[in-house]
Amino acid sequence: MQAKTEGMKILVTGASGFIGSFIVEEALRQGMETWAAVRGSSSRQFLKDDRIHFIELNLDSQQDLQRQLAGHEFDYVVHAAGVTKCLNQDDFFRVNTEGTKNLVLALIELKMPLRRFVYISSLSVFGAIREQQPYTEILESDTPQPNTAYGKSKLEAERWLDKLTVPFPYVILRPTGVYGPRERDYFLMAKSIKQHSDFAVGYKRQDITFVYVQDVVQAVFLACEKGQTGRKYFLSDGEVYQSTTFSDLIREELGHPWWIRIKAPIWVLRIVTWVGDKWGHLTGKISALNNDKYHILKQRNWRCDITPARKELGYEPRYQLKEGTRLTIKWYKENGWL
């Protein structure tokens, strides 16, 4: 059956990134004219298909964007560009907030005839809420209380979109922890387990949610087709896991290497991330264990309600954590990462 999007023109920002590269692949599969927005320095390791059209965009400047996008007419724009780790907190807002504003203002100024603008946000816009046991799902109606610079920068972009005074067909997706092939942060956990250690923090129960990258991609194209302007959709695989579940599954896929599982109190994590943050500033290299990471690992409740995505978009997760982990570790092995 012919895809409804076949022949449509799509622009994907952050196309060289983890999620963006999979969005590009799916757009090609659906027969769309696919434009990958990259920086001059971006790796094109996962963008090798000859059908991809490349465009360099400077998200730091609305004027540059208007010049770079002039002459194009896109049916869909998927804004997946952003940063999750920065040495300086201001960079989160420069890229995630101001970059989004610049892009949207450029599209409006150019009178781009968009059917849909899909913004990839994050569950992190809510921060640590509903943390009294028994934990309950975070709802769209809850008041966001982001506790990371990353979450604050994403929420600021969301709120700016909500305040637009001109018609603009935006839809916001808020995935929980996204994992899968090509992902580098959860990969560090797999690498650590292969090297015989697993590290967890906090003694209070932690409920974690995940979403496999291909399910995020599924939601992106459903949002392009069915998303209602101004709506915000949580994304997970619909299940809730304990903090040890993911590492247990990774270890299983690695052939059960012997390991030492370290569970440390929160105050130890605070020291480690403080040192990691200072070390990052001294060396100029971003540490995986930084101040933002402290708040993410400290958070105990990552449950979220995906009912609206199911009802309004027709989103149905296809990958549970066990199968997603198997595919992810398989890819890491086949590509020499593990």
Side-chain angles (χ1 to χ4, degrees):
M1 189 174 76
Q2 187 180 43
K4 292 181 181 179
T5 53
E6 186 168 353
M8 298 288 186
K9 189 173 178 181
I10 187 171
L11 171 68
V12 182
T13 71
S16 62
F18 164 48
I19 297 174
S21 61
F22 281 102
I23 295 171
V24 168
E25 288 179 3
E26 178 61 18
L28 291 170
R29 193 192 68 78
Q30 293 193 20
M32 303 176 79
E33 181 181 323
T34 305
W35 288 73
V38 294
R39 298 186 304 272
S41 59
S42 298
S43 167
R44 301 188 184 187
Q45 180 183 1
F46 304 118
L47 300 172
K48 297 289 181 64
D49 196 299
D50 292 340
R51 295 171 294 172
I52 299 171
H53 302 271
F54 290 98
I55 182 171
E56 289 190 22
L57 296 183
N58 177 20
L59 293 173
D60 289 330
S61 166
Q62 179 189 336
Q63 287 69 34
D64 283 357
L65 287 166
Q66 286 176 214
R67 177 178 51 80
Q68 291 160 338
L69 292 169
H72 291 281
E73 287 194 356
F74 295 104
D75 298 290
Y76 306 105
V77 172
V78 180
H79 186 36
V83 288
T84 57
K85 296 189 292 292
C86 292
L87 283 176
N88 300 303
Q89 289 199 359
D90 288 348
D91 288 336
F92 283 110
F93 297 91
R94 178 180 62 81
V95 178
N96 295 343
T97 309
E98 296 304 318
T100 302
K101 291 181 184 180
N102 288 334
L103 177 60
V104 171
L105 289 172
L107 293 168
I108 290 172
E109 192 67 27
L110 291 167
K111 296 181 171 56
M112 192 69 67
L114 289 178
R115 293 169 179 255
R116 207 80 75 225
F117 178 93
V118 179
Y119 177 52
I120 310 293
S121 186
S122 170
L123 177 58
S124 289
V125 301
F126 278 86
I129 66 172
R130 295 182 176 267
E131 296 245 299
Q132 296 300 313
Q133 296 189 49
Y135 304 135
T136 55
E137 292 178 333
I138 297 169
L139 305 174
E140 185 184 345
S141 57
D142 286 329
T143 301
Q145 300 175 38
N147 53 5
T148 62
Y150 170 71
K152 290 172 184 176
S153 68
K154 286 288 191 179
L155 180 61
E156 195 170 311
E158 286 192 15
R159 286 178 167 167
W160 181 85
L161 285 166
D162 288 339
K163 291 176 182 176
L164 283 172
T165 56
V166 295
F168 190 73
Y170 71 95
V171 179
I172 294 171
L173 300 180
R174 293 165 164 170
T176 183
V178 186
Y179 72 104
R182 308 175 191 167
E183 199 280 331
R184 295 185 179 276
D185 286 346
Y186 288 123
F187 161 69
L188 295 177
M189 181 189 297
K191 185 178 179 182
S192 176
I193 291 170
K194 185 179 180 182
Q195 295 172 345
H196 312 298
S197 65
D198 181 43
F199 181 75
V201 292
Y203 299 111
K204 186 179 176 184
R205 176 188 171 103
Q206 186 178 42
D207 285 0
I208 301 180
T209 52
F210 295 93
V211 60
Y212 189 65
V213 63
Q214 293 289 8
D215 279 330
V216 176
V217 172
Q218 175 203 164
V220 164
F221 287 90
L222 288 170
C224 284
E225 181 186 348
K226 302 176 182 178
Q228 300 176 31
T229 295
R231 294 290 285 118
K232 304 168 182 70
Y233 301 100
F234 293 121
L235 302 177
S236 78
D237 69 5
E239 300 295 331
V240 178
Y241 304 94
Q242 298 309 299
S243 55
T244 56
T245 309
F246 195 22
S247 53
D248 286 342
L249 288 170
I250 290 172
R251 182 174 181 239
E252 182 181 325
E253 293 302 323
L254 289 173
H256 297 279
W258 65 267
W259 65 352
I260 298 173
R261 175 172 267 167
I262 303 164
K263 195 163 191 177
I266 291 291
W267 64 264
V268 171
L269 175 67
R270 174 72 280 188
I271 294 170
V272 170
T273 53
W274 183 86
V275 170
D277 213 65
K278 294 298 181 186
W279 181 251
H281 281 88
L282 285 171
T283 61
K285 296 179 180 178
I286 302 171
S287 169
L289 291 171
N290 51 50
N291 284 332
D292 257 23
K293 195 69 170 180
Y294 165 73
H295 293 289
I296 290 169
L297 292 173
K298 179 185 175 185
Q299 189 167 322
R300 299 289 98 179
N301 180 28
W302 290 94
R303 292 171 173 257
C304 59
D305 178 21
I306 65 170
T307 304
R310 280 179 154 143
K311 287 184 175 179
E312 296 176 24
L313 302 181
Y315 169 73
E316 197 56 49
R318 298 168 184 159
Y319 298 88
Q320 301 304 306
L321 190 60
K322 183 176 179 63
E323 174 64 4
T325 302
R326 184 187 71 78
L327 293 170
T328 302
I329 299 301
K330 180 174 181 287
W331 187 91
Y332 287 153
K333 288 178 178 178
E334 290 174 350
N335 287 271
W337 288 32
L338 286 175

